[in-house]
Amino acid sequence: MLPPTRLQLRVAQVALLVRLALLFLLELAWVARGDGLGALGVVAAAGVSYLALSSPRVRVALMRHPLLVLLDVVLVAVVVALVGVDTPFVLALATSALLVGLWLPVAPGLLVVLFTVAIDLVLLTGQPIDDAGLVAYVVVVPAVFVTLWLLGLAIRRSGHAEARAQASLRDAMSAAATSQERGRIAREMHDTIAKSLQAMALTASSIPHHLHRDTDVAVARARELEQDCTLVIAQVRELMGELRTPVAELSFSDTVAQVVDEWRSSTGRRCTTRLAPVDVTDGHVRYELLMGLRESLDNVRQHAGRCTVRVVLEAAGADRLLLVVSDDGAGSEPAFVAASPERGHFGVVGMAERMAGVGGTFRHETGPGQGTTVTFEVNRRGLVEKDQREVVA
């Protein structure tokens, strides 16, 4: 048997609480007319049932042995027999039918409901009932039992169907997140480590050539190789730190300034900034923007030549922001950039994929002798669909 859902537990507890309240009111009425001792047993039975169902230990026992619900039916039936089946206390059996539907599988549940109806009919045999009462207690009451049992069964099945749907959705979201994470790690490997390793390979391949012609150049290349190895180690550590750090300590504009300062220090190039105090509340968006910024600055270092670089961060509406990296360097033919993946270079494609993954847009504008401008535009709170779910919740 599947574990109970929250809806299933809640309906069961509400049903027993309603039973308890109803019987308490009837108990007061019986006490007022001096005949409340018998009804006191029904109130006690309802109270014990509700308190038992509220106990985690009892819920675990019901999960393992659902037929324990039959004890509730027997207990209520005994008390109803004591006070009379032609009294309103017969409604307690109707509540038991609902509980049977909520907790028992179809076959045993049907048997228990039939047992409940049989108890009702047997108890009626000793009661003087007129024709109108006969229809009510022989036809209507058993029909109510069956209806409430079917209602409980429907609630239980609906709860399990919803639980399965939620589990499937979680699995699908987990698979999508895993695929997205793989793509992100692949981009990080290309944007940082792969490029450094490529440079190391070129440097290493030139050392044997220079050993026979100019040992000083060979020594310089070996030192460059050593520096590149140190750089790769730092990049790997940085990547691991990014993957492990769930929350950023600095504001987004301060972090952008920090990235630019690091780039200035490592390249010796000029870079002016105009950074509005725009923060990014979504960690995924923040990460992709920063990695796109690093990739853009690295492209300037490799391809722009002597130039001035400018980084701008500004708001673009209530929730959107613009991050622009521009230079007045050599620039490139747009067709040449578009064909970069064919040559094994995926930097521009990777930046576009980053923005697409967080619901943003990416523009790459360049031309020979006209420099290059890269623009990232995105909702700082993440995907629009995510915001809508938060509003609904």
Side-chain angles (χ1 to χ4, degrees):
M1 183 178 178
L2 294 175
T5 62
R6 293 181 61 184
L7 175 63
Q8 185 179 348
L9 288 171
R10 187 60 179 166
V11 171
Q13 290 177 337
V14 169
L16 288 169
L17 184 61
V18 170
R19 176 206 284 180
L20 181 61
L22 174 63
L23 296 181
F24 180 73
L25 293 176
L26 292 174
E27 168 71 9
L28 292 180
W30 278 41
V31 170
R33 69 180 188 179
D35 195 12
L37 292 179
L40 184 61
V42 178
V43 176
V48 169
S49 298
Y50 179 73
L51 293 175
L53 192 59
S54 300
S55 170
R57 293 183 179 180
V58 174
R59 289 200 297 268
V60 171
L62 285 173
M63 290 169 56
R64 295 177 179 176
H65 310 287
L67 285 177
L68 289 176
V69 179
L70 185 59
L71 294 178
D72 179 80
V73 176
V74 173
L75 178 62
V76 175
V78 170
V79 179
V80 170
L82 293 176
V83 299
V85 74
D86 57 341
T87 65
F89 290 103
V90 74
L91 294 176
L93 283 175
T95 310
S96 297
L98 176 62
L99 296 177
V100 169
L102 287 171
W103 287 99
L104 295 185
V106 177
L110 179 60
L111 292 177
V112 174
V113 170
L114 293 178
F115 174 72
T116 305
V117 172
I119 289 177
D120 177 65
L121 296 178
V122 169
L123 294 177
L124 282 174
T125 57
Q127 302 290 336
I129 302 175
D130 56 18
D131 293 340
L134 187 65
V135 173
Y137 288 105
V138 175
V139 178
V140 176
V141 172
V144 170
F145 290 170
V146 175
T147 301
L148 289 175
W149 168 66
L150 292 174
L151 177 61
L153 187 63
I155 292 174
R156 180 165 61 88
R157 288 181 171 179
S158 176
H160 288 314
E162 181 181 0
R164 287 192 295 268
Q166 291 178 350
S168 299
L169 179 60
R170 286 193 297 269
D171 292 342
M173 293 178 64
S174 177
T178 300
S179 176
Q180 186 179 42
E181 184 69 8
R182 288 177 177 175
R184 183 173 69 84
I185 293 175
R187 289 193 296 269
E188 306 314 325
M189 296 292 289
H190 167 266
D191 295 344
T192 57
I193 300 173
K195 290 184 176 181
S196 298
L197 291 176
Q198 185 179 20
M200 290 171 58
L202 292 174
T203 302
S205 64
S206 67
I207 292 177
H209 173 75
H210 291 295
L211 280 175
H212 300 289
R213 296 189 177 185
D214 191 337
T215 56
D216 292 337
V217 174
V219 171
R221 292 290 183 270
R223 289 175 178 172
E224 290 178 7
L225 183 60
E226 180 184 8
Q227 294 174 355
D228 289 340
C229 288
T230 304
L231 177 62
V232 169
I233 293 173
Q235 290 173 340
V236 170
R237 288 176 176 172
E238 181 182 3
L239 178 59
M240 295 303 296
E242 293 285 353
L243 293 174
R244 291 176 178 176
T245 304
V247 179
E249 297 178 356
L250 298 176
S251 67
F252 182 69
S253 56
D254 290 340
T255 306
V256 170
Q258 187 180 67
V259 171
V260 173
D261 288 340
E262 292 173 354
W263 184 80
R264 287 196 194 104
S265 299
S266 63
T267 62
R269 293 172 177 259
R270 292 183 55 195
C271 181
T272 61
T273 60
R274 180 166 61 84
L275 307 178
V278 180
D279 204 1
V280 178
T281 57
D282 185 277
H284 192 192
V285 172
R286 180 189 183 99
Y287 180 82
E288 296 295 358
L289 282 172
L290 291 176
M291 295 309 297
L293 172 63
R294 289 190 175 97
E295 172 68 13
S296 301
L297 292 174
D298 191 57
N299 285 343
V300 172
R301 179 185 63 82
Q302 294 186 67
H303 308 299
R306 295 177 58 87
C307 65
T308 300
V309 188
R310 182 174 176 80
V311 176
V312 176
L313 173 66
E314 60 185 8
D319 295 321
R320 300 188 72 81
L321 63 84
L322 288 175
L323 178 62
V324 183
V325 181
S326 60
D327 67 76
D328 55 3
S332 303
E333 286 285 352
F336 180 79
V337 175
S340 295
E342 299 176 4
R343 301 189 302 273
H345 301 291
F346 299 93
V348 175
V349 174
M351 288 187 283
E353 289 178 349
R354 289 182 186 281
M355 288 298 97
V358 293
T361 59
F362 169 78
R363 295 191 300 275
H364 184 273
E365 301 168 295
T366 187
Q370 300 177 9
T372 301
T373 299
V374 173
T375 305
F376 305 91
E377 181 177 355
V378 68
N379 189 312
R380 63 185 180 86
R381 295 189 300 160
L383 294 174
V384 175
E385 291 81 2
K386 179 178 179 180
D387 297 337
Q388 292 175 343
R389 289 196 301 271
E390 292 175 349
V391 172
V392 172

